[in-house]
């Protein structure tokens, strides 16, 4: 906290004066981006619906999701048939970039306070790159969230919750989390 | 907590109405320009519209640089490069686009290269990759539909790359948009109807999609009122200058609306059949509009119901029960389509375009899901949803 109570410490205090500080939001968004990239990597290997969209991406396709300042960020690259999480610094010029204008906007989405379509509509999140590829990645992210999140959380992140039976959902979710754990024990490319 | 948030931008000066073109010399002078290049296409030049603009400038002692009229119907990166080279060689200091959406979009991309002094225009493609103002740019639309005269977007066909290159930046917006009824008086009825329905779709989607906001709503409402009132009279009497101006103003207002509240599923489907079969964009929008509104009813019933006020007027609105207003608004749009079909043959269904094999509908549905506009549609769209809308729009 700033030593002078009349001066707002802009780094530590969100403008609203409520909720976690920007520093905490940055740490949380960074963790979520790390988790999202690993979950999407696992889901793209397990779920046939996501795999179909990933298969249609160009060879060596790469994308990044980041806050405008550059951090936090996630990066993924298509390697053969797989979509792999990589270090953001490993991508010189990703084919596609999803960019949040501010860490507070990334936090809103990553904490399920604002859905991704609403973030686009509110000009908090922008896409730079090929839109057809962007739509495939967004569909994959939506599907992944529908599978791995409890329904009451997923409905806050998605425009519509897809018609997935509970047995199918639990089965796929178990396989995705299992694959995530296996991937973590493998040699991490990042 | 109230989480409402929106952004709105339109720095374009509107110069609209009787003898509007004669204001161009003043607009050039106040921007320090003495030698503008004119960008157009051969059809617009042949129609004598560029001559009218040139005379309006030279009659006040102004100069006009070269007229670049090699813009193809779908724009092209080659035209961008050739036009920029012509601009730089001839020592021009401003651009005046005289034409439809392709001409205005091409001129926007040319302006990047004219300002940067040449190079590869692809360097600046994408979202907000321009960091400073460009050369003075005046847009003179010769159709009343695309709204490109007020938007921050340029889409250029790049044959070498096998794709359309997309530019988005506030700096692409024209400094001035000149709406003069002389520019659209000779537009054929079919093009008049298709472009007006394009503008209607821009306004309706801006009003019903996710990014709607109080300011985009105001422009969308005004555009819808004008198109509802003037489309049929202008189709019946094409030389009605007042009606032509009203439609031009409506197209610009619809452009401002959708530039600040992007479009949805109607455009995703229209983009797809435009790319696959060359169906006119406005005609495609016109075909899909009522079917997509019906699809969006579960999420947008109140917004679509509010459209009735602007489509049919206050008396019809007041006389229609609240729960029936959305269906009545859609019916009013269908009436407009029927009237345009009766007067000039504007297709009402996909089958009436005569360009699309019915067995291709599944492929169209699949491709339309890759169009970025789907994100802004108020209802989530699956393959099955898109196919169902296409089958309804097919007709028979």
């Amino acid at each position: 906290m700033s030593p002078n109570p009349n001066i707002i410490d802009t780094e530590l205090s969100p403008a609203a004066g409520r909720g976690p500080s920007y520093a905490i939001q940055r740490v949380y968004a960074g963790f979520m981006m790390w988790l999202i990239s690993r979950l999407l990597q696992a889901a793209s290997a397990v779920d046939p619906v996501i795999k179909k969209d990933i298969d249609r991406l160009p060879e060596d396709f790469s994308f990044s999701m980041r806050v405008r300042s550059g951090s936090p960020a996630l990066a993924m690259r298509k390697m053969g048939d797989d979509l792999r999480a990589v270090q953001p610094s490993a991508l010189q010029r990703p084919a596609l970039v999803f960019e949040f204008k501010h860490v507070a906007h990334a936090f809103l989405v990553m904490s399920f306070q604002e859905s991704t379509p609403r973030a686009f509509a509110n000009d908090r999140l922008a896409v730079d790159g090929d839109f057809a590829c962007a739509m495939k990645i967004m569909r994959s992210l939506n599907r992944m969230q529908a599978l791995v999140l409890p329904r009451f959380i997923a409905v806050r992140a998605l425009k519509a919750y897809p018609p997935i039976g509970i047995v199918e959902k639990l089965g796929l979710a178990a396989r995705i989390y299992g694959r995530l754990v296996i991937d973590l024990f493998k040699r991490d490319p990042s | 907590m109230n989480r409402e948030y929106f952004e709105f931008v339109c720095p374009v000066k509107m110069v609209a109405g009787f003898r509007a073109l004669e204001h161009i010399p003043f607009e050039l002078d106040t921007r320090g320009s003495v030698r503008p290049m004119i960008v157009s296409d051969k059809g617009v030049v042949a129609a004598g519209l560029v001559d009218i603009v040139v005379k309006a400038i030279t009659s006040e002692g102004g100069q006009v640089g070269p007229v670049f009229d090699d813009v193809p119907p779908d724009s092209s990166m080659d035209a961008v490069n050739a036009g920029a080279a012509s601009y730089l060689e001839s020592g021009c200091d401003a651009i005046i686009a005289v034409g439809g959406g392709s001409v205005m979009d091409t001129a926007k991309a040319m302006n990047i290269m004219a300002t940067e002094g040449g190079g590869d225009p692809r360097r600046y493609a994408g979202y907000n990759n321009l960091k400073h103002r460009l050369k003075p740019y005046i847009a003179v639309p010769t159709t009343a539909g695309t709204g490109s005269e007020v938007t921050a977007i340029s889409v250029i066909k790049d044959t070498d790359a096998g794709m359309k290159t997309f530019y988005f930046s506030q700096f692409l917006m024209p400094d001035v948009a000149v709406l003069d009824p002389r520019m659209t008086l000779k537009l054929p009825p079919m093009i008049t109807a298709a472009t007006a329905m394009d503008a209607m779709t821009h306004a309706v989607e801006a009003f019903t999609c996710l990014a709607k906001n109080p300011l985009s709503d105001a422009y969308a409402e005004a555009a819808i009122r004008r198109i509802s009132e003037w489309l049929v009279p202008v189709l019946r009497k094409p030389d009605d200058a007042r009606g032509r101006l009203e439609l031009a103003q409506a197209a610009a207002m619809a452009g401002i609306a959708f530039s600040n509240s992007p479009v949805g599923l109607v455009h995703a489907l229209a983009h797809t059949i435009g790319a696959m079969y060359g169906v006119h964009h406005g005609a495609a929008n016109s075909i899909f509009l009522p079917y997509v509104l019906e699809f969006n009813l579960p999420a947008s019933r109140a917004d679509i119901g509010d459209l009735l006020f602007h489509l049919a007027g206050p008396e019809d609105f007041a006389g229609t029960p609240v729960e029936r207003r959305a269906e009545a608004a859609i019916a009013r749009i269908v009436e407009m389509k029927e009237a345009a079909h009766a007067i000039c043959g504007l297709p009402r269904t996909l089958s009436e375009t005569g360009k699309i094999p019915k067995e291709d509908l599944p492929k169209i549905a699949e491709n339309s899901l890759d169009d970025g506009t789907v994100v802004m549609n108020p209802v989530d769209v699956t393959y099955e949803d898109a196919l169902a809308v296409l089958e309804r729009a097919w007709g028979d």
Side-chain angles (χ1 to χ4, degrees):
Chain A
M1 183 182 284
S2 168
N4 183 342
N6 296 318
I7 298 174
I8 296 170
D9 186 329
T10 53
E11 172 56 29
L12 294 176
S13 302
R18 284 176 283 190
S21 71
Y22 290 143
I24 292 173
Q25 291 183 19
R26 197 174 295 280
V27 170
Y28 175 82
F31 169 73
M32 288 301 287
M33 286 190 183
W34 179 89
L35 184 62
I36 287 167
S37 62
R38 267 65 185 181
L39 282 169
L40 186 58
Q41 175 178 312
S44 68
V46 165
D47 179 51
V49 176
I50 295 178
K51 192 163 178 48
K52 186 180 168 193
D53 265 329
I54 301 303
D55 285 346
R56 291 165 60 212
L57 290 169
E59 201 54 44
D60 209 31
F61 167 83
S62 61
F63 82 94
S64 169
M65 179 180 285
R66 66 189 183 206
V67 172
R68 188 162 182 81
S69 61
S71 173
L74 69 79
M76 301 192 79
R77 169 175 277 156
K78 188 178 176 188
M79 299 178 188
D81 293 338
D82 300 329
L83 190 64
R84 300 259 184 89
V86 297
Q87 280 287 358
S89 57
L91 293 184
Q92 290 294 323
R93 194 172 164 79
L96 177 69
V97 176
F98 296 91
E99 188 170 272
F100 291 100
K101 285 182 181 171
H102 194 281
V103 69
H105 303 158
F107 182 77
L108 281 176
V109 172
M110 304 286 170
S111 58
F112 311 106
Q113 297 178 65
E114 189 165 272
S115 69
T116 309
R118 175 49 57 195
F120 278 113
N122 286 0
D123 289 299
R124 305 195 206 274
L125 176 60
V127 175
D128 193 359
D130 182 70
F131 279 102
C133 293
M135 295 304 294
K136 293 180 179 76
I137 293 296
M138 286 171 60
R139 278 198 299 271
S140 298
L141 284 167
N142 288 346
R143 168 93 180 166
M144 184 267 286
Q145 290 180 91
L147 292 175
V148 304
L149 293 171
R151 182 174 178 143
F152 74 94
I153 294 177
V155 292
R156 297 169 64 94
L158 305 172
K159 207 190 284 183
Y161 188 82
I164 309 173
I166 186 71
V167 175
E168 182 189 12
K169 176 181 167 117
L170 290 177
L172 283 166
R175 291 180 63 198
I176 291 169
Y177 280 114
R179 179 72 183 230
L180 170 73
V181 172
I182 291 169
D183 285 347
L184 288 177
F185 282 101
K186 279 186 183 172
R187 186 168 166 269
D188 190 335
S190 65
Chain B
M1 185 193 297
N2 180 9
R3 293 183 177 276
E4 274 186 28
Y5 175 85
F6 74 89
E7 295 183 3
F8 184 92
V9 60
C10 184
V12 182
K13 178 173 180 179
M14 306 301 299
V15 174
F18 182 67
R19 294 284 181 263
L21 293 172
E22 283 74 3
H23 288 253
I24 293 177
F26 172 83
E27 298 301 336
L28 289 169
D29 186 47
T30 54
R31 286 164 181 77
S33 169
V34 293
R35 189 172 160 78
M37 181 173 90
I38 292 186
V39 179
S40 191
D41 64 40
K42 296 200 187 313
V44 170
V45 171
L49 300 179
V50 170
D51 276 348
I52 298 173
V53 175
V54 170
K55 279 178 190 158
I57 298 169
T58 54
S59 62
E60 274 300 307
Q63 283 185 48
V64 172
V67 174
F68 181 86
D69 66 356
D70 271 341
V71 179
D74 245 0
S75 79
S76 82
M77 203 58 87
D78 290 342
V80 170
N81 285 318
S86 174
Y87 178 101
L88 293 168
E89 284 163 11
S90 55
C92 290
D93 52 17
I95 291 176
I96 301 175
V98 184
S102 296
V103 166
M104 289 187 279
D105 275 14
T106 305
K108 287 176 183 171
M110 269 181 203
N111 200 13
I112 300 171
M113 306 323 299
T115 305
E116 298 296 336
D120 185 354
R122 296 172 188 86
R123 276 174 54 204
Y124 302 96
Y127 181 77
N128 279 329
N129 290 325
L130 296 172
K131 304 298 179 194
H132 56 80
R133 292 178 66 85
L134 305 181
K135 297 288 185 187
Y137 171 34
I138 296 176
V140 184
T142 59
T143 61
T146 71
S148 182
E149 67 273 19
V150 290
T151 66
I153 301 165
S154 169
V155 182
I156 305 293
K157 191 173 184 179
D158 189 345
T159 311
D160 290 345
M163 59 189 285
K164 289 197 171 185
T165 300
F166 168 86
Y167 296 86
F168 177 91
S169 168
Q170 191 179 323
F171 299 120
L172 289 175
M173 287 177 149
D175 295 276
V176 183
V178 181
L179 310 180
D180 189 308
R182 284 172 286 178
M183 294 290 100
T184 52
L185 272 181
K186 292 180 180 169
L187 213 55
M190 173 70 105
I191 302 297
T192 302
T195 50
M197 288 305 291
D198 187 20
M200 173 66 91
T201 306
H202 293 157
V204 169
E205 290 215 284
F207 193 83
T208 54
C209 286
L210 287 185
K212 78 193 258 61
N213 62 72
L215 294 178
S216 66
D217 281 357
Y219 282 98
E221 290 165 0
I224 292 166
R225 271 199 305 277
R226 279 172 173 76
I227 298 165
S228 301
E229 184 177 351
W230 288 99
L231 173 59
V232 172
V234 168
L235 290 179
R236 293 207 171 109
K237 190 171 179 294
D239 60 351
D240 179 345
R242 162 93 196 276
R244 289 289 188 183
L245 180 62
E246 294 285 351
L247 289 181
Q249 290 171 354
M253 287 189 276
I256 293 169
F258 91 86
S259 192
N260 290 282
S261 171
V263 291
L265 178 59
V266 179
H267 273 74
L269 295 167
H271 289 156
T272 306
I273 65 168
M276 291 174 73
Y277 308 100
V279 177
H280 186 281
H281 178 64
N285 277 338
S286 177
I287 289 169
F288 290 123
L289 182 56
Y291 302 108
V292 170
L293 287 176
E294 285 173 357
F295 170 72
N296 284 339
L297 275 174
S300 302
R301 172 170 286 279
D303 291 333
I304 297 170
D306 285 347
L307 290 176
L308 183 64
F309 185 90
H310 312 290
L311 285 162
E315 288 178 6
D316 281 8
F317 181 80
T320 307
V322 174
E323 66 275 12
R324 296 248 334 113
R325 284 178 183 160
E327 283 79 6
I330 295 170
R332 172 75 182 120
I333 290 171
V334 172
E335 277 174 31
M336 291 178 66
K337 284 177 60 176
E338 291 290 341
H341 177 75
I343 297 169
C344 65
L346 184 72
R348 296 164 296 181
T349 60
L350 291 176
S351 59
E352 284 180 357
T353 65
K355 293 184 173 181
I356 302 172
K358 190 170 185 184
E359 58 270 25
D360 285 7
L361 296 188
K363 184 67 182 165
I364 298 170
E366 189 178 331
N367 288 355
S368 68
L369 297 184
D370 279 349
D371 192 279
T373 56
V374 167
V375 177
M376 291 297 167
N377 200 64
V379 176
D380 194 44
V381 186
T382 64
Y383 166 79
E384 290 76 16
D385 296 330
L387 184 59
V389 171
L390 284 161
E391 284 173 345
R392 293 216 59 207
W394 174 260
D396 269 341

